[in-house]
Amino acid sequence: MYPQAYVDYLVYFHGVRDYFECHEILEEEWKKAGIGERKPHWQGLIQIAVALYHWRRENFSGARKSLENAIRNLKNERKALSNLALDGDQMTALLNRLYHKIQKKKAYESVNLPIMDKSLIEACERLCKEKGCTMGNSSDLSDWQILH
């Protein structure tokens, strides 16, 4: 029902908290379409992961710019987000909240995207378990391999 790359993205986003890998996974999905046909919702999700990667490393400028791009790319993508089982209103509120925290140079915090499909959550939880992590856990800020 959902592209495997998207499910993998969610697992790395919510479980492993490897935002760099999130970027790699969805970039391949985004590039499947030709230039001019690429979907802004994939790019927006990639940019959210990039923003969190920068924020966690205290690169507030990079985080802010990436999040601004994500907000711009997802602005008119409510139907696409809904098709990916993401609540558009909650997503907008989350991104705005994160943007203000980053602007104020607040400390990084792990966040979860507003997934509405219970079966998708369950599939992600199973994959997280296989990877030895828990869906919705916080970032391990002592794991240098994930941080850098």
Side-chain angles (χ1 to χ4, degrees):
M1 183 165 165
Y2 302 101
Q4 187 60 48
Y6 174 60
V7 176
D8 291 342
Y9 168 90
L10 293 175
V11 168
Y12 278 91
F13 191 99
H14 296 99
V16 180
R17 298 289 181 184
D18 186 339
Y19 302 123
F20 186 84
E21 190 62 25
C22 289
H23 167 272
E24 295 294 309
I25 290 167
L26 266 195
E27 188 173 54
E28 288 181 33
E29 185 69 24
W30 178 62
K31 286 184 175 180
K32 281 182 182 178
I35 295 173
E37 297 175 11
R38 293 182 176 157
K39 307 297 182 199
H41 61 274
W42 293 133
Q43 189 175 22
L45 291 172
I46 291 166
Q47 290 163 330
I48 292 169
V50 170
L52 293 176
Y53 175 81
H54 286 308
W55 185 23
R56 189 167 58 188
R57 299 178 78 227
E58 298 181 353
N59 175 356
F60 296 104
S61 176
R64 183 184 47 75
K65 288 175 188 172
S66 295
L67 202 52
E68 285 171 352
N69 289 331
I71 291 167
R72 186 187 71 246
N73 278 315
L74 295 174
K75 184 178 180 180
N76 298 315
E77 293 295 305
R78 295 226 179 220
K79 182 169 176 33
L81 291 176
S82 179
N83 290 340
L84 294 172
L86 293 172
D87 183 294
D89 291 335
Q90 288 183 34
M91 180 73 91
T92 298
L94 171 66
L95 297 180
N96 287 330
R97 201 167 48 249
L98 293 177
Y99 186 80
H100 292 296
K101 287 181 180 191
I102 290 167
Q103 271 190 317
K104 293 179 180 180
K105 298 186 178 180
K106 300 278 186 180
Y108 163 84
E109 62 185 59
S110 300
V111 297
N112 297 312
L113 300 178
I115 303 171
M116 300 180 299
D117 182 347
K118 186 176 179 178
S119 65
L120 176 58
I121 293 169
E122 290 169 353
C124 291
E125 287 172 340
R126 282 191 300 276
L127 286 172
C128 280
K129 189 174 182 179
E130 289 175 18
K131 294 193 175 298
C133 61
T134 303
M135 181 84 166
N137 68 339
S138 294
S139 287
D140 179 358
L141 299 178
S142 68
D143 187 343
W144 287 96
Q145 198 168 11
I146 296 292
L147 293 178
H148 304 289

